[in-house]
Amino acid sequence: MKDATGSIGGSLAIARLRRVVGVLLAAALWAAPAWAEPLPVRLRAEDPAVAQRFAAALERAGGDRVTVVEQGAAVTLALGEAAFRAELADPGHGPLLGLAVPRAAAGLVTPGCDCSAVWRGVPLATQLALIDALMPEAGRIGVLLGPSSAWAPPLSVPGNRLVDVVLVPKPSRLAPLLRRHLPDWDALLLPDDATLFGPGAAKLVLLTSYRQRVPVFGPGADFVHAGSVASAYLGPGDLARAALERLDARRRRGEWPAQGFAGHYSLAVNDHVARAYGLNLIERARLEHILEASP
């Protein structure tokens, strides 16, 4: 008759055996030729509804290239910084890709972590290209940056654009800095920054800028709907495409590509606001081509 100690020991041995089998299975799947069979992936997000929506976007973008599972996954996709941090906290997390992670959290990707990340937001060059197309006469462009912004100083500005960077240390400083600097600018460009430019900031920024007759560009679709002229933004389909590309690279090379922006973006334009400022209303296809050529 087995005692309790023997029963527990047997259970632990079975659990270890299952873990080893799971690791070997994942390794075999990674070693297969790229997309020879669907790659089993596990989705994690703070909000299960977000994970569900992304699973649908992944299916639309990838067809049968991946399959979402709970057990036996070869890789985990963590949506958002909180989910990414939670997965990294598990020493046995396995291959891990963070999605829509703020650039300010880039330090989470460390050597040997078998992980990488796709940042939230859009590169500076992409948003500047939209301004070039819609407002080529803009001579001086203001950029407001906070500690959590998608862009960090010093900024690398393409071409001969004159860009003024103003650092906003905390949201309470946004209003006075706007009033001080807006008269010097032809346009205002905002980076993705959930802390500085959350829903509550839209009215402040857009009304203050409109009174000064300074068009606002960025940081995303919500701001455009509220009164920003235009913005590239990272939509669910763009994020799904970026995830598939990184999974493909990991499968082919045996290691993750470097973390960075997605490389795929969607476009939002507020034609009514553009007309109010007398800006160029060029063909949408031309603007979308700008996004396709972005890094």
Side-chain angles (χ1 to χ4, degrees):
M1 180 175 178
K2 293 182 180 179
D3 60 17
T5 304
S7 177
I8 293 172
S11 297
L12 290 173
I14 291 171
R16 282 195 294 269
L17 179 60
R18 286 176 178 166
R19 184 176 180 83
V20 169
V21 170
V23 169
L24 291 174
L25 177 61
L29 288 166
W30 277 118
W35 311 119
E37 57 186 67
L39 185 70
V41 301
R42 173 175 165 263
L43 297 184
R44 284 296 176 263
E46 271 198 302
D47 184 350
V50 171
Q52 270 191 338
R53 288 195 294 270
F54 184 73
L58 201 60
E59 183 177 356
R60 287 192 298 270
D64 58 355
R65 295 164 71 185
V66 296
T67 181
V68 177
V69 299
E70 277 297 324
Q71 301 292 332
V75 63
T76 297
L77 304 179
L79 294 156
E81 181 181 357
F84 191 42
R85 285 184 181 274
E87 292 299 321
L88 285 171
D90 178 3
H93 59 68
L96 174 63
L97 180 63
L99 298 171
V101 174
R103 185 175 181 173
L108 294 174
V109 178
T110 57
C113 74
D114 197 5
C115 67
S116 189
V118 177
W119 295 336
R120 280 182 47 161
V122 176
L124 170 68
T126 303
Q127 301 286 41
L128 286 175
L130 288 179
I131 297 178
D132 283 340
L134 292 165
M135 194 180 178
E137 70 278 9
R140 185 183 291 266
I141 299 168
V143 175
L144 301 177
L145 295 183
S148 301
S149 294
W151 312 325
L155 299 184
S156 177
V157 180
N160 297 318
R161 270 293 186 194
L162 185 56
V163 172
D164 286 346
V165 176
V166 173
L167 301 180
V168 186
K170 52 186 178 180
S172 62
R173 294 291 299 152
L174 185 57
L177 288 171
L178 267 175
R179 288 193 295 268
R180 182 190 306 171
H181 293 283
L182 273 174
D184 299 327
W185 298 334
D186 298 309
L188 172 60
L189 176 56
L190 306 178
D192 181 275
D193 188 326
T195 301
L196 204 56
F197 305 119
K203 184 176 180 180
L204 165 67
V205 174
L206 295 169
L207 283 180
T208 306
S209 300
Y210 189 77
R211 291 189 188 111
Q212 297 280 352
R213 300 297 296 166
V214 178
V216 178
F217 293 83
D222 289 342
F223 252 72
V224 173
H225 296 153
S228 181
V229 175
S231 182
Y233 68 94
L234 182 62
D238 307 313
L239 194 59
R241 290 175 65 191
L244 289 169
E245 288 176 354
R246 280 141 178 93
L247 290 171
D248 187 21
R250 173 65 170 76
R251 231 179 182 191
R252 287 186 288 104
R253 305 173 193 165
E255 61 182 12
W256 291 109
Q259 63 178 320
F261 289 110
H264 302 284
Y265 315 105
S266 296
L267 174 68
V269 180
N270 191 320
D271 291 338
H272 175 74
V273 173
R275 278 192 290 267
Y277 281 110
L279 303 184
N280 292 344
L281 287 174
I282 63 177
E283 294 180 358
R284 191 178 185 90
R286 180 181 162 195
L287 294 175
E288 289 175 344
H289 178 71
I290 290 172
L291 303 189
E292 292 173 6
S294 296

